[in-house]
Amino acid sequence: EGAAAREAALARRVEARTPPNKPFDVLVQHLVTVALGGGFEADALYDEVRGAWSYRALTRDEFDWAVAFVERGGASLTAYPEYHRLARDEHGRYRVPSAALAKRHRMSIGTIVSDGTMSVAWTSGGRLGTIEERFISFLKRGDNFLFAGRVLELVRIEGMTAYVRKGAKNKGVVPTWAGSKMPLSSELADAVLAMLGRFHAQRDDPAARFPPEVEAVRPLLALQERWSALPTPEHLVCERIVTREGHHFFCYPFAGRMVHIGLGSLIAWRAARDQPGTFSISMNDYGFELLSPEPFDWEALIARGLFSTERLLEDVLDSLNASELALRRFREIARIAGLVFTGYPGAPRSTRQLQASSGLFYEVFRKHDAGNLLLTQAQTEALEQELEISRLRTALERMNTQRVVMTSPAKPTPFAFPLLIERLREKVSNEKLSDRVARMLKELEAAADEKPKRTKANG
């Protein structure tokens, strides 16, 4: 990664900063802010707003909807005066009609929102701890996850509490913590794959020169190639390994951790659709692991369209809890749009209170104001920012153009090992994990000195 990042930076291949497209929550907040600063005329402000890149495609109907929403509360909040935040004066300019509304808005200006944590509690009573809200929102009712050394089954989510019961043994998704929120970008992932492809093509060339970072990991790359195969831009490497834990399927699309969260869940859901089965899922920036107690014919599944982009949106919505993600995203939108008040200095409202309030708005809009653009924004952002549906589609399209190399190593390979540890670290304490990792490393190092036993089938 270090070598690839340096070469990409020198070549000025830098990650794009994609601005949001027509964020209506920010527009709604801006309308009230400008109304506080002397008022505005709709025609003039519409022309000004369209000068911002994110709103270049904003239609007049959408702008008028935002003005009407702030003026009268839209189709569902008309009866509540606190949501009548704009009124026309005698000159036809929009202004904030009351000092109380002005004060409340000034206390809430801004678009930075904090990440929430959820309590994990037994359905029978008793609290286990807290977990990242973003992770738990991915799960559906009945899904299992590893937490505090236990396999738990999600029963329901109420407000900011996830209620659980004891889950099936050795069946669980590995929690993903905040440290994973800066995943491998598309540009860096492509650069790393290109670096691996270069090593694969030139490793036996005595004249070839590699960056010092690549030379440092040359033994590991060589071992990966001996036992299995090396991922490259042209080759998608998949590995099947059988251990006492069960049947492991490793896949290395190099699409970044966030994409692999959705990709792992999607592939597991598609595989279990034809053959009932349960999976534990682990992922990192390079790939993902699916662990099941029963074997799957992965070659046949791939041949039948396991990596297909057909019905992608429908399958993603079925495999992940997209409605819960949209609800959580709506809390941020409702806060920025001024629907929920975060409180006064010294008396802030809790995340639990904000979630309850925004959840009520979400249900009201969904049932009585389905055309509400804030609701549409929440659903779109859940797909694009939480599930990264665009990058997921791009990853699948690339996987379909690559040559699938399916191998059956006798031992976990250098690329598989971190995925195993990712899952194991949630099962045992730090001390026990370090002992186990040391033992596994000792076994693998001994195996690396032996003649490898493996079979390879290229498809």
Side-chain angles (χ1 to χ4, degrees), residues 140-395:
K140 296 187 295 183
R141 181 177 179 178
D143 283 352
N144 286 261
F145 64 101
L146 292 164
F147 181 76
R150 301 179 176 94
V151 178
L152 305 176
E153 178 185 334
L154 178 64
V155 177
R156 67 182 184 276
I157 296 175
E158 292 181 2
M160 296 301 291
T161 302
Y163 290 96
V164 300
R165 60 187 171 209
K166 192 174 181 180
K169 188 178 180 181
N170 294 329
K171 174 191 170 188
V173 178
V174 178
T176 313
W177 307 104
S180 66
K181 288 199 174 180
M182 291 188 68
L184 210 64
S185 67
S186 298
E187 289 77 9
L188 184 53
D190 290 344
V192 173
L193 264 185
M195 186 72 70
L196 291 173
R198 223 171 87 196
F199 178 84
H200 172 75
Q202 302 176 6
R203 67 191 185 285
D204 297 327
D205 182 358
R209 293 291 180 268
F210 299 108
E213 297 90 344
V214 176
E215 290 294 343
V217 296
R218 178 189 281 268
L220 280 177
L221 298 180
L223 184 62
Q224 173 70 33
E225 202 150 29
R226 274 178 50 203
W227 283 8
S228 175
L230 207 57
T232 72
E234 296 78 30
H235 300 95
L236 174 65
V237 174
C238 301
E239 298 169 349
R240 294 168 303 192
I241 301 176
V242 181
T243 69
R244 286 175 295 179
E245 289 186 291
H247 298 265
H248 306 256
F249 174 69
F250 297 94
C251 185
Y252 308 108
F254 275 76
R257 180 186 288 262
M258 301 308 297
V259 174
H260 292 156
I261 292 174
L263 193 57
S265 298
L266 174 69
I267 298 305
W269 185 84
R270 285 178 170 177
R273 183 173 51 187
D274 299 326
Q275 175 187 335
T278 57
F279 292 97
S280 293
I281 305 174
S282 177
M283 73 290 296
N284 61 18
D285 277 325
Y286 294 169
F288 61 90
E289 173 208 24
L290 302 180
L291 170 64
S292 61
E294 60 282 321
F296 281 77
D297 189 346
W298 294 106
E299 288 99 330
L301 288 169
I302 292 171
R304 292 201 300 265
L306 185 66
F307 301 149
S308 171
T309 57
E310 291 184 14
R311 289 185 50 82
L312 175 60
L313 180 58
E314 293 87 345
D315 287 352
V316 167
L317 294 178
D318 286 339
S319 64
L320 290 169
N321 195 2
S323 59
E324 185 67 28
L325 287 170
L327 174 59
R328 302 286 155 180
R329 173 63 65 170
F330 185 78
R331 186 185 69 220
E332 301 178 1
I333 291 171
R335 207 283 295 161
I336 293 171
L339 290 175
V340 296
F341 184 48
T342 55
Y344 294 101
R349 299 183 70 196
S350 68
T351 303
R352 183 184 299 274
Q353 292 172 312
L354 295 177
Q355 183 61 36
S357 299
S358 62
L360 182 60
F361 282 115
Y362 184 83
E363 289 302 317
V364 168
F365 292 158
R366 195 170 62 86
K367 293 177 181 177
H368 306 291
D369 189 11
N372 192 295
L373 296 181
L374 297 177
L375 193 67
T376 304
Q377 180 184 345
Q379 295 164 344
T380 301
E381 288 186 2
L383 288 172
E384 288 297 336
Q385 297 183 26
E386 301 293 340
L387 302 179
E388 299 204 32
I389 192 73
S390 297
R391 283 190 66 185
L392 181 55
R393 182 182 297 277
T394 300

